Amino acid sequence: MKRIFTVLVMIAVAGTVMVSSCKKKPKPLSEVIGRVWSAQLIKHGSSVVYTKGVTTSPTPGYVNFRLDLSSPTSATLKDFDGNTFTGQWEVQETASGNSLILKNLTPQPTGTNGTIQFTINSASETEFVITRTTGSQKTGGTINNYTLVSP
């Protein structure tokens, strides 16, 4: 009886170890961010210019901001000024960090040659934080930070 009990305990322990060591593989970053995003908090340089739900934001046009990455390759960016740009998107994953690249944008946003690159600061299925890698001519050359949400 003791042997049967010992064998059952060993099987239970081995089973627990095997199950707990089998972790789900995390989703690829492109799958995590592949959705429609809207503005939660926007900074032009160090200045907050938009906070969702605050009616006195200095740049209220961000209420209509949309970054649509729901297609595996196609992107649509609706900017705070109402202009809409379409093109492709890709994620570049490197040892030093990850980047989101919007490319072949039409019409071409001013001063971009049709490409805008962002550093990905953090990404989940509900919040996406990115920083533009070059200054935006629309905002006076500032490096802009976008905290985006997906409903």
Side-chain angles (χ1 to χ4, degrees), residues 80-119:
F80 71 93
D81 59 2
N83 289 321
T84 299
F85 307 95
T86 57
Q88 288 83 44
W89 70 280
E90 68 178 340
V91 171
Q92 282 188 351
E93 298 183 42
T94 65
S96 60
N98 300 318
S99 297
L100 169 67
I101 301 169
L102 304 180
K103 60 186 182 178
N104 301 318
L105 294 172
T106 56
Q108 289 186 0
T110 304
T112 66
N113 291 323
T115 300
I116 303 174
Q117 185 168 340
F118 302 89
T119 299

Side-chain angles (χ1 to χ4, degrees), residues 27-34 89 91 93 98-99 120 123 128:
K27 289 183 179 180
L29 182 56
S30 59
E31 189 176 321
V32 171
I33 66 172
W89 70 280
V91 171
E93 298 183 42
N98 300 318
S99 297
I120 299 174
F128 186 34

Side-chain angles (χ1 to χ4, degrees), residues 27-37 69 120-130 147-151:
K27 289 183 179 180
L29 182 56
S30 59
E31 189 176 321
V32 171
I33 66 172
R35 60 192 75 245
V36 179
W37 300 96
L69 306 176
I120 299 174
N121 303 321
S122 65
S124 73
E125 294 185 356
T126 57
E127 185 178 82
F128 186 34
V129 182
I130 55 177
T147 299
L148 308 176
V149 293
S150 182

Side-chain angles (χ1 to χ4, degrees), residues 39-61:
Q40 174 73 35
L41 178 74
I42 308 296
K43 292 181 183 178
H44 292 175
S46 60
S47 300
V48 174
V49 297
Y50 177 79
T51 303
K52 187 175 186 173
V54 175
T55 58
T56 58
S57 290
T59 312

